[in-house]
Amino acid sequence: MNYRHVAIRVLQTVPVLFGVSVVVFIIIHSAPGDPVVNLLGIQATEENVAQLREAYGLNEPLYVQYLHWISGVLQGDLGQSITRERSVSALILSRLPATLFLAVASMVVATVIAIPAGVVSAVRKGSVSDHTVTVGALTGISVPNFWLGLILILVFARTFELLPPGNYVSPAANPVESLKHVLLPAITVGTAYAALLARQTRSSMLDNINREYVKMAKSKGLSSRKVFVRHALKQALLPVITVAGLQFGYLLSATVVVEQIFAWPGMGRLIWSAVRQQDYPTVQGTVLVIAALFVFINLLVDMAYAYLDPRVSVS
Amino acid sequence: MNGESPSNSASDTSESVIDGTSDTSESVIDRSSSARVRQLRRTWRGFRANSLASAGLVVVSVVVVVGVFSYVDEALFDSALIKAVYYSPFEPRFVPLEGPSPAHPFGTDTLGRDVLARTIYGAKVSIQVAVTAVVVAATIGSALGVVAGYAGGVVETIVMRVVDVMLGFPALVLAIGLVAALGFSLTNVIIALGIVYVPQFARIARSTALSVSSEEYVDAARALGYSTPHIVFREVLPNCISPLLVQASLLMAFAIIAEASLSFLGLGVQPPTPTWGQMVSDGSGYLTSAPWISLFPGGAIFVTVLGFNLVGDGLRDALDPRESTERRF
């Protein structure tokens, strides 16, 4: 692995994260209304409002407020929730495991479906299975996840009572139960993601199947199965990994909606309730953490790419 | 379709380029616009030949017509048109939770409103948000991207760093943050999604503009002494249209899902205006007793998004020469 590439890539994330924090800060501070009046209620006296503004540093210029906030963030302090008697960091830490568990489970479900489907589709181009995969992928991209989730609950949880309709069970507490509970939400989140991955797998497999080295391997007398899996698939997976990373944001967006349907106590429900209750510090903190997570995942993906493909150099 | 044969036009161009007079440069520019028209015709032929893409176009057209009808009916006639032939989407005058029947093909909702009438009216918000947000994003994003790609240097660096930051957010999460700050209304949902999709257009416009900027006709325009804005918006931008168009139709599909997701979460357009996402959410508590409340509007989202995706894929196939050569084998 090229360490210089890794170091440069890590350094490149710093300005992006800085930009992300500025954007989050500006968005939340452009909200109409006085946060202090929101907090104290409209019956608050002017004196109380002034006192609290002073205490929260709201009379300072915007960039001073930003510096104050970001220096807290760097020390792990995301501020206090307005509606709950807890710090935003504590709230996020209590919700993050459920979201990560769901995201990872969805990724596993998606990969298990998408990679074989994409490979079969490419190897048997123009066959019935290819058409099935193509139509399936198109359907997967087009179906709204909240609607799919409701249909899955209706069919598998209510009508046939095969699986529970969500409800998070910690994998540490009861691994088997927890897998049962995560299955429906993971399928819901993973469907569109699987569709995107299957499309990418198909097209990059097609790119590789006709390359010289595959023909060479075939002419050496290797079985086509070995050629496809050992040679073509290995190369074809590189762009798939990139897409998987870029579309991880899609996965995070989807969990926000899907958590709502499956009563999943994760970051999505936290954002949702904070937005509904105008708990701006919590909205600010959760959006920041999710964006940072996304940037971090993309960094990991780039590193995985550099590790797998030695041709990658610093651009 | 009776354009000159490609061999003729090619030799014309090369001759006139060799000539090197200002007259010639004009003709190179003319050639570029007539080549564009030819390419558009070719694209349209390719698109029509693709039956899935044509089906998608039919679906999209139907939804757009229904959306425009609802918009005109509500804005100008106070829903008189739909009431004249069917039921009002707003008045709770029927038995609640009644299943599909000839009188109410999609059943009635929790308040006794007709679900079909509300689904028809739901097209209004979906189309309005998707079209406006994508047009806003395409206009701002393409302009920024083309300027960045043509100008290079500091301008490019600034634009692309901002784009990188915006792409650091999962789209829906950024949209939720924006509506949280702006408030839940039609205009704010459009603004939020418009902002969220700007970087997608900027990125594509920049990379296309980079390659277009090195084309002959751009050099010719420069040699003729045209102003930079003229070159950027009259020469470079029109030649970047194809990939932007594909992106626009695919993003409309995403915008419809995003709007529906915001509505489903109660963070979008507020009742009593019917939206598909909100209707799915209304029915989610009655899944076993009255599934039709959620199923029909959800189906409407699905079919519309599928339509936009088919159009987008069809456009891409018709425009991408690599894909079409592959098909010849």
Side-chain angles (χ1 to χ4, degrees):
Chain A
M1 186 146 63
N2 186 337
Y3 289 106
R4 190 155 162 260
H5 171 75
V6 172
I8 290 182
R9 194 58 192 75
V10 170
L11 286 179
Q12 276 171 349
T13 358
V14 175
V16 172
L17 283 175
F18 167 72
V20 163
S21 72
V22 172
V23 170
V24 173
F25 184 81
I26 292 174
I27 291 174
I28 298 306
H29 280 255
S30 64
D34 190 324
V36 173
V37 175
N38 286 347
L39 183 61
L40 293 174
I42 36 173
Q43 280 139 2
T45 62
E46 267 179 43
E47 218 172 302
N48 285 343
V49 171
Q51 254 175 9
L52 211 61
R53 287 190 70 85
E54 192 62 43
Y56 276 98
L58 291 171
N59 293 327
E60 307 280 355
L62 211 53
Y63 74 91
V64 176
Q65 289 186 44
Y66 171 78
L67 288 177
H68 186 70
W69 175 66
I70 200 70
S71 62
V73 169
L74 291 174
Q75 294 162 40
D77 174 18
L78 290 161
Q80 281 293 320
S81 160
I82 293 179
T83 51
R84 297 164 218 239
E85 307 261 301
R86 292 179 74 179
S87 74
V88 176
S89 316
L91 279 171
I92 290 176
L93 280 180
S94 70
R95 301 300 193 99
L96 204 54
T99 295
L100 288 179
F101 181 49
L102 176 55
V104 170
S106 313
M107 237 174 153
V108 171
V109 169
T111 319
V112 167
I113 300 169
I115 309 278
V119 170
V120 168
S121 179
V123 173
R124 306 209 180 122
K125 189 166 181 262
S127 70
V128 176
S129 23
D130 179 23
H131 289 304
T132 314
V133 171
T134 312
V135 171
L138 190 66
T139 312
I141 288 173
S142 306
V143 67
N145 52 30
F146 52 91
W147 187 61
L148 176 67
L150 291 178
I151 293 178
L152 290 178
I153 291 180
L154 180 61
V155 175
F156 293 102
R158 300 272 179 256
T159 312
F160 295 110
E161 296 183 1
L162 292 171
L163 286 165
N167 294 319
Y168 176 65
V169 174
S170 161
N174 188 341
V176 179
E177 251 335 90
S178 123
L179 283 180
K180 265 195 203 164
H181 283 260
V182 83
L183 200 55
L184 286 185
I187 294 173
T188 310
V189 172
T191 298
Y193 193 66
L196 294 165
L197 291 189
R199 275 184 164 194
Q200 184 57 49
T201 310
R202 178 180 184 274
S203 74
S204 56
M205 266 304 269
L206 280 177
D207 275 352
N208 277 285
I209 281 176
N210 295 321
R211 292 261 177 91
E212 290 298 317
Y213 73 89
V214 172
K215 286 182 189 154
M216 167 81 177
K218 264 190 192 168
S219 64
K220 268 168 47 187
L222 289 178
S223 74
S224 37
R225 198 191 167 137
K226 257 189 190 160
V227 174
F228 287 139
V229 173
R230 286 224 186 125
H231 296 265
L233 181 60
K234 207 178 150 199
Q235 282 302 313
L237 279 182
L238 287 173
V240 176
I241 290 173
T242 309
V243 168
L246 283 175
Q247 300 298 346
F248 191 78
Y250 192 89
L251 209 70
L252 289 172
S253 288
T255 53
V256 174
V257 181
V258 172
E259 282 180 5
Q260 204 58 32
I261 306 165
F262 290 97
W264 203 260
M267 298 284 282
R269 283 188 66 121
L270 182 60
I271 291 194
W272 179 80
S273 58
V275 169
R276 299 287 297 206
Q277 295 161 353
Q278 298 189 313
D279 181 356
Y280 291 121
T282 308
V283 178
Q284 187 168 268
T286 38
V287 172
L288 181 74
V289 168
I290 289 189
L293 187 66
F294 183 33
V295 172
F296 180 65
I297 295 281
N298 271 314
L299 177 68
L300 283 186
V301 165
D302 268 17
M303 289 189 179
Y305 199 105
Y307 178 71
L308 292 170
D309 188 351
R311 285 171 305 180
V312 173
S313 61
V314 190
S315 57
Chain B
M1 308 278 169
N2 300 323
E4 352 157 39
S5 78
S7 59
N8 269 346
S9 77
S11 63
D12 277 1
T13 320
S14 50
E15 268 170 36
S16 41
V17 168
I18 294 163
D19 234 7
T21 60
S22 78
D23 195 36
T24 333
S25 310
E26 290 279 12
S27 81
V28 173
I29 290 172
D30 285 349
R31 197 83 60 218
S32 99
S33 72
S34 81
R36 247 191 338 258
V37 172
R38 272 205 304 282
Q39 200 212 348
L40 275 180
R41 283 185 181 148
R42 211 169 39 234
T43 307
W44 175 236
R45 272 205 303 276
F47 187 85
R48 266 189 326 186
N50 181 343
S51 52
L52 276 177
S54 309
L57 190 61
V58 171
V59 170
V60 168
S61 313
V62 169
V63 179
V64 169
V65 168
V66 171
V68 171
F69 162 78
S70 325
Y71 181 80
V72 171
D73 188 29
E74 191 175 9
L76 304 180
F77 302 104
D78 196 20
S79 305
L81 292 179
I82 192 166
K83 274 195 264 181
V85 287
Y86 199 59
Y87 307 120
S88 159
F90 301 105
E91 290 165 19
R93 24 185 298 222
F94 308 106
V95 183
L97 307 177
E98 207 180 303
S101 65
H104 305 287
F106 287 7
T108 62
D109 72 1
T110 48
L111 298 177
R113 294 171 298 193
D114 184 89
V115 175
L116 175 59
R118 289 177 65 74
T119 306
I120 290 173
Y121 256 52
K124 185 187 87 165
V125 171
S126 279
I127 293 299
Q128 219 177 339
V129 170
V131 172
T132 326
V134 171
V135 167
V136 167
T139 313
I140 302 174
S142 314
L144 283 176
V146 167
V147 169
Y150 181 78
V154 186
V155 179
E156 186 181 20
T157 311
I158 293 174
V159 170
M160 294 327 286
R161 288 297 85 80
V162 173
V163 164
D164 282 349
V165 167
M166 301 278 288
L167 289 174
F169 292 91
L172 191 67
V173 175
L174 180 57
I176 290 177
L178 285 163
V179 290
L182 297 167
F184 316 136
S185 73
L186 180 69
T187 321
N188 292 338
V189 171
I190 292 174
I191 294 175
L193 293 179
I195 293 176
V196 167
Y197 294 135
V198 163
Q200 324 258 4
F201 284 103
R203 221 160 57 158
I204 293 178
R206 171 188 161 263
S207 62
T208 324
L210 267 179
S211 65
V212 168
S213 301
S214 55
E215 294 279 338
E216 244 167 33
Y217 52 82
V218 177
D219 287 340
R222 226 178 271 140
L224 279 170
Y226 283 134
S227 67
T228 308
H230 177 100
I231 298 175
V232 169
F233 292 105
R234 301 293 296 276
E235 307 296 338
V236 179
L237 184 61
N239 287 292
C240 300
I241 287 294
S242 312
L244 292 172
L245 215 59
V246 173
Q247 184 67 11
S249 57
L250 293 176
L251 276 184
M252 292 234 187
F254 278 104
I256 285 176
I257 291 197
E259 184 280 321
S261 302
L262 289 174
S263 289
F264 177 82
L265 294 173
L267 311 177
V269 178
Q270 297 297 303
T273 309
T275 68
W276 290 338
Q278 189 198 98
M279 290 169 74
V280 174
S281 159
D282 285 349
S284 62
Y286 300 84
L287 266 189
T288 34
S289 56
W292 53 87
I293 305 176
S294 289
L295 289 184
F296 286 109
I301 304 171
F302 173 51
V303 172
T304 309
V305 172
L306 190 66
F308 276 109
N309 276 327
L310 286 173
V311 169
D313 286 351
L315 268 180
R316 189 178 45 203
D317 288 351
L319 288 165
D320 188 354
R322 203 178 55 142
E323 190 65 21
S324 41
T325 37
E326 186 194 89
R327 209 173 283 136
R328 251 186 266 133
F329 289 115

